[in-house]
Amino acid sequence: GYYRAIYGRDLLAKLLAAADTKLSIAERVGLIRDLNALGQAGAVPMADALALVPRFAGSPERDIVAATLRPAADVREHLVPDALLPQYARFVSKTYGERARSLGFIAKPGENDETRLLRNLLVPFVAREGDEPALRAEAKRLALAWLEDRKAVPADLAGDVLEVAGHFGDADLFERFLSAARTAKLRRDRIRLFN
């Protein structure tokens, strides 16, 4: 199990004031997750949790960026009506877009494991939820390449690439996915295509 903290009185303000200089990575991740859980439970305004997203989204630490994705995704799932989805997409792009575009779907030579892990979390999320035509175009280009050669996209990103391309694709891409699913020899590939 795990525990959640409820930050009474002015403790939250004090923690936030010291977060960048006095809290460890694990403590900052815990703070973001606690506030998101409290927001989901209605114990604090969800706006308090959401305010941490732009503040910590640019962190160099992958774990902190990953922690910010939860409140960013949760607010869309539970609180954003369809009429406000364009504003939500702009929020995602403004908060994460530049970094996601610089990472792209494909690793660059010399990248470390932390960067690769961050890419796997961040780029598919921003491509799906943000207003990101460049990432969507990259996903489609890579999906078409994957249809021709399964090695064209790293295995750990193939599913995300196909899902993003399929979500924003047209009837022609749908037909190509359907045809590939019918002839795919590997169950893993069929699942990726159906997803």
Side-chain angles (χ1 to χ4, degrees), residues 126-180:
V126 176
R128 277 191 305 267
E129 302 297 338
D131 183 18
E132 292 294 329
L135 288 176
R136 292 173 186 168
E138 182 185 7
K140 182 176 181 180
R141 180 182 56 76
L142 290 170
L144 292 172
W146 182 89
L147 289 171
E148 299 299 321
D149 176 10
R150 299 300 191 257
K151 294 178 183 172
V153 177
D156 59 341
L157 277 170
D160 287 318
V161 163
L162 293 171
E163 285 183 35
V164 170
H167 185 81
F168 297 99
D170 54 16
D172 180 58
L173 186 63
F174 173 82
E175 291 299 329
R176 293 192 65 180
F177 278 14
L178 184 60
S179 176

Side-chain angles (χ1 to χ4, degrees), residues 56-72:
F56 292 107
S59 174
E61 289 88 10
R62 174 186 52 87
D63 292 329
I64 294 174
V65 177
T68 68
L69 291 174
R70 178 55 64 94

Side-chain angles (χ1 to χ4, degrees), residues 43-78:
V44 300
M46 192 62 194
D48 290 354
L50 195 58
L52 298 182
V53 172
R55 176 172 177 180
F56 292 107
S59 174
E61 289 88 10
R62 174 186 52 87
D63 292 329
I64 294 174
V65 177
T68 68
L69 291 174
R70 178 55 64 94
D74 284 350
V75 75
R76 185 227 189 271
E77 185 177 334
H78 300 293

Side-chain angles (χ1 to χ4, degrees), residues 13-168:
K14 288 180 180 179
L15 276 173
L16 289 173
D20 298 315
T21 57
K22 299 200 175 176
L23 296 184
S24 69
I25 293 170
E27 289 168 334
R28 282 179 274 170
V29 167
L31 176 64
I32 295 165
R33 289 181 177 168
D34 283 346
L35 217 53
N36 185 54
L38 292 170
Q40 291 293 320
V44 300
M46 192 62 194
D48 290 354
L50 195 58
L52 298 182
V53 172
R55 176 172 177 180
F56 292 107
S59 174
E61 289 88 10
R62 174 186 52 87
D63 292 329
I64 294 174
V65 177
T68 68
L69 291 174
R70 178 55 64 94
D74 284 350
V75 75
R76 185 227 189 271
E77 185 177 334
H78 300 293
L79 297 173
V80 178
D82 289 346
L84 295 179
L85 286 176
Q87 288 87 332
Y88 173 76
R90 283 193 295 277
F91 166 76
V92 170
S93 290
K94 181 179 179 184
T95 305
Y96 301 107
E98 183 178 341
R99 193 170 197 178
R101 287 187 303 274
S102 72
L103 288 169
F105 278 100
I106 301 296
K108 281 98 179 146
E111 280 185 352
N112 61 29
D113 290 340
E114 285 295 303
T115 302
R116 287 189 177 104
L117 291 170
L118 179 62
R119 168 182 292 102
N120 291 5
L121 293 169
L122 188 63
V123 174
F125 172 76
V126 176
R128 277 191 305 267
E129 302 297 338
D131 183 18
E132 292 294 329
L135 288 176
R136 292 173 186 168
E138 182 185 7
K140 182 176 181 180
R141 180 182 56 76
L142 290 170
L144 292 172
W146 182 89
L147 289 171
E148 299 299 321
D149 176 10
R150 299 300 191 257
K151 294 178 183 172
V153 177
D156 59 341
L157 277 170
D160 287 318
V161 163
L162 293 171
E163 285 183 35
V164 170
H167 185 81
F168 297 99

